[in-house]
Amino acid sequence: MSQDILPPRIRRWLFTTNHKEVGILYLVTALFFFVAAGLLALTMRTQLSVPDNHVLTETLYNQFVTVHGLLMIFWVLSPFAFGFANYIIPLQIGARDLAFPRLNAMSYWFYLFSGVAIIMSFIFGAPDLGWTLYSPQTAIQFSPSIGLNVGAAALILITVSITMSSVNFLVTMFKMRAPGMKLRHMPVFPWAILVTIFMMLYAFPSFLAAVLLLYVDRAFGTFYFSSIQGGALLWDNVFWFFGHPEVYIVLFPAIGLIADVIPTFTRRPLYGAKYVIGSMIAAAIISFIVWGHHMFVTGIGLTSTKLYTVTTIAVSLPFDVMVIAMIETLIKARIKLKAAALFALGAIALFVIGGITGVYLASVALDHALRGTYFVVAHFHYIMVGGSIMGLIAGLYYWFPKFTGRMYNETVAKIHFVVSFIGFNILYFPMFLLLDMPRRIQTYAPDTGWGSLNSLATLGGFIFGGAQVLLFLNLFLSQRKGLPSGPNPWDGWTLEWSLPSPPPAHDFDTIPTIAEDGTYHFGDSPGLPNGAGYPNGSKIGNGYSHSHLEGLSAWPIVVAFAAFIFFLGLTIGQPNNPTTPVTFQPFWPLIADGAILGVIALYGYSRERFSVHEETRTESWPFREVPNVKLGIWTFLGAEVIFFGVLIGAYFFVRTNSPTWPEIGSLFDIRNGFAMTLVLLTSSLTAIMALVSAKIGSRNGLISSLLATFGLGVAFLYIKSTEWVYLGTHGVFSVASGLPATSYFITTGTHGVHVFAGMLMTLYLLVNSLKGRYLKGDHQAIEHFGLYWHFVDIVWVFLFPLFYLI
Amino acid sequence: MNTTYLYLLVFAILVGSTDIEVNIVALYPSASTGVAMLFGTIALSYGVIVSILLGLAGMKALLIALFYQHLKYEPRSLSSWVLIGLVIASLLMSLVFIQLHVH
Ligand code: HEM
Ligand SMILES: [Cu+2]
């Protein structure tokens, strides 16, 4: 694809794969969505300011609440943090970029297009039932608008984006640290991101599965969430299994950032940094077993209720450690109150209030009274806005000089803080007192007595919102006219400050080395503890110039765009007021365009020569012997385990709740399943033989094994489709004829899509091996394909007995 | 052992155990096999058979992972890393199981 027709400035931003530019793209986009979601919120506050108000209709109010929540959580908080992570983490760990730069660009474009999709959903009637998308309100008969389908597409796209990023960052941080940079020498911010993406990796697949099932329920009329066997409880489980880790996912980056900002401005290392990091890890692990505290009133049983109370209290303990460490660092310290420090301090204070009120909610008795009220709204806004957003704004001021080489106006920034902090408390504190006002209502009667507190909150909302104008003006004007900042205006201790501001395209002239004790030396500064290091006596300057126009790739944006129109095609064809039974009515032209463009783009992507410079002397414990790509694939497969685990779990769930289930062999022919199993097992054998042939350099062996693998894939899908068609045409068993059908079609269908994807990969490998590639030392691609293919085989090894034999 | 033979041997075991799986189904009690009894106390033999089937599936998966995906020859750190996903998925399933069955 010819990229040269566009002017360089545009090419640089559309096709960049440089982590710093991708970081800036993330930040700017996240701030854009922040404004959009903020405007929705201010409109809602206006509606609520006085009783019996009718600025917004009920429908529109509900749409605003929902999209506001979704935008803030998915399209603002995490991408905001990813912006910093992209820009800063490679600098802080002494790497020149992420492990997979083009994949990183692709993550960004998926994010952007997913955001376009969620905003587009307003055209079709946006989702209007709260960000938690509780079932059964999401069922088509209660929410007929296809805006919800478009919203589902947006959520699927952003999940893809996040999963790609998680894999990318994990590999980068595990494998590409500068020499001497042991994991324990990493600053707290990279640690926080490491823990965050760990949670993302395993939490988001559950969300993906949940949204997928929701989508098929709505598009194909299946029954996961609209039956009593699945229904509300199934949704609660898969959603909150994701949802609770998600609340830490949006919080941890800010904590890590604050933990690096405070030491810089107090001139002392973070007290107990080891314990802070340890607590984050502990909280991340426990976060996967506390989700039931969102289900206390759903009748999950006393044993479960007790269990989740205990785990919830346990998960709050690590947070105490984090807060105590920060307070200890601050005690008797003389802190330089720059804007970043102010925002960090404010964030800690507000987070503490939010956290303590969370403990109230973890009490089953209190929760019965408080759940679904404005008390909860106050609780999580103190954490997500007070803790996360304020913390991230601290990061914005902290790193702005690094990004631009210029200083912002400190006085305006301080005013911004004071007004934000006051506005915030006027906005959210009254909500604690509104503990008898239900959340998500569009208006209320005058005799409820809620009027004055609501007016106060609205006033606070406008103060807080107005304050942000100062932020944007300040940053916008300063990046053009601000005074030069020099490389290290705060005397920061971490590696990014050793570079010029902004750093050159290739970041480091020489990769730094960190001393044995984790200290580093910079200019004439003393060795400083617990941070990344400056190379001993290294000169900072531009030894050689890599241009910002190197390493451009057009494919990431094209792949993302193809996925975008493909998913739009899947969702916008549905009539807006569907008849029951639901019929699948996609918009085929878009689907076809998306599919064709996607295949072309993926082909172009994989053919493009794009070499990533790999340093030889990196610190890579504990995966020293594992190559980057292989680690990436295994990491991705870990996420797939959760995805299929949730699909299989959903099957168990509905099956256990069903009083009867068809007898074995009465629905599907066991022989079909047996045949498919044999076919797939054999294809695993041929896939491994392909690897053996490649390694010994046998071109014919490689080609014939790949051909056989492909053929067996065809055979598998052929048997599967005849079975599907047979079941479909024999009436009793269409996809919408009950839970046995629903779970069977969807689970095996998802698996089938995986088989299909694997076959596309074999085709690609075949084409190249005909040209004589992959032989001897060049066999990695065959091996990596095999890892995926065998995984798909393993999934079937479970699906076969689960669906055909029990 | 020559790796090709090893792979063939693994294949033979995989196919053999699949054969056991399909034949074991004949041993189901001919009475009602509703899933309400899946883990209940009444239809013990049903539960036993299900356990055997799941056990066999687990064994097959393990063989594929160890030999075809050659986890057996990878550094311990990588196999532990892969295990994390499984552990988290099993936590999910076990806690949901408790919700469904223990009150
Ligand atoms: C640390 C960051 C935290 C964040 C970002 C956070 C966020 C949230 C959010 C978004 C909700 C509302 C969910 C909804 O829309 O229904 C919520 C509810 C809840 N939170 Fe937190 N929370 C945090 C910490 C805590 C802590 C430390 C605890 C307990 C020790 C806690 C306990 C709860 C409980 C029990 C609920 C359910 C309230 C209800 O709906 O009745 N949270 N939290
Ligand atoms: Cu929670």
Side-chain angles (χ1 to χ4, degrees), chain A residues 406-427:
Chain A
R406 292 181 190 277
M407 289 305 287
Y408 56 85
N409 183 314
E410 189 67 51
T411 316
V412 176
K414 281 186 179 147
I415 298 175
H416 171 219
F417 171 74
V418 173
V419 182
S420 295
F421 192 81
I422 296 174
F424 175 93
N425 284 293
I426 302 179
L427 166 57

Side-chain angles (χ1 to χ4, degrees), chain A residues 259-272:
Chain A
D260 279 352
V261 167
I262 299 248
T264 305
F265 291 102
T266 54
R267 313 310 300 155
R268 25 156 95 175
L270 184 68
Y271 178 85

Side-chain angles (χ1 to χ4, degrees), chain B residues 8-26:
Chain B
L8 284 172
L9 181 66
V10 169
F11 181 68
I13 302 176
L14 291 175
V15 172
S17 38
T18 310
D19 198 52
I20 299 178
E21 285 175 340
V22 279
N23 283 305
I24 233 173
V25 175

Side-chain angles (χ1 to χ4, degrees), chain A residues 82-101:
Chain A
F82 266 143
F84 292 131
N86 260 289
Y87 200 110
I88 296 297
I89 284 185
L91 305 182
Q92 284 190 334
I93 65 171
R96 282 213 173 93
D97 208 321
L98 291 177
F100 312 112

Side-chain angles (χ1 to χ4, degrees), chain A residues 73 131-132 134 239-240 243-244 246-252 255 293-296 312-313 315-317 319 351 354-363 366-368 370-373 376-377 379-381 383-384 388 439-440:
Chain A
I73 289 170
W131 80 282
T132 46
Y134 279 138
F239 179 83
W240 283 114
H244 193 88
E246 170 67 6
V247 306
Y248 295 164
I249 287 168
V250 299
L251 176 72
F252 277 19
I255 297 217
H293 64 220
H294 298 275
M295 303 171 63
F296 281 153
T312 303
I313 291 171
V315 81
S316 67
L317 301 180
F319 288 95
F351 166 70
I356 291 175
T357 49
V359 180
Y360 285 34
L361 293 173
S363 142
L366 283 176
D367 190 53
H368 272 262
L370 294 175
R371 86 161 316 107
T373 68
V376 176
V377 177
H379 155 65
F380 66 76
H381 281 90
I383 291 168
M384 298 214 219
S388 301
R439 59 193 284 210
R440 294 170 179 160

Side-chain angles (χ1 to χ4, degrees), chain A residues 171-244:
Chain A
V171 175
T172 308
M173 281 198 255
F174 275 132
K175 294 273 303 170
M176 295 171 59
R177 283 164 281 132
M181 171 84 67
K182 304 269 189 312
L183 273 180
R184 68 190 137 89
H185 297 151
M186 285 201 311
V188 186
F189 178 65
W191 261 110
I193 295 290
L194 188 62
V195 175
T196 302
I197 53 186
F198 169 85
M199 289 187 285
M200 284 178 156
L201 186 71
Y202 297 113
F204 269 88
S206 176
F207 186 57
L208 182 64
V211 175
L212 188 79
L213 298 186
L214 174 62
Y215 170 74
V216 294
D217 268 9
R218 295 174 53 85
F220 297 96
T222 57
F223 294 109
Y224 276 109
F225 301 121
S226 48
S227 58
I228 46 164
Q229 290 87 349
L233 274 184
L234 177 60
W235 177 266
D236 273 9
N237 275 303
V238 286
F239 179 83
W240 283 114
F241 176 74
F242 147 81
H244 193 88

Side-chain angles (χ1 to χ4, degrees), chain A residues 682-706:
Chain A
T682 316
S683 78
S684 259
L685 182 67
T686 57
I688 195 81
M689 291 323 292
L691 180 60
V692 172
S693 317
K695 276 185 176 165
I696 60 171
S698 156
R699 179 163 170 266
N700 289 342
L702 173 62
I703 293 174
S704 47
S705 311
L706 283 177

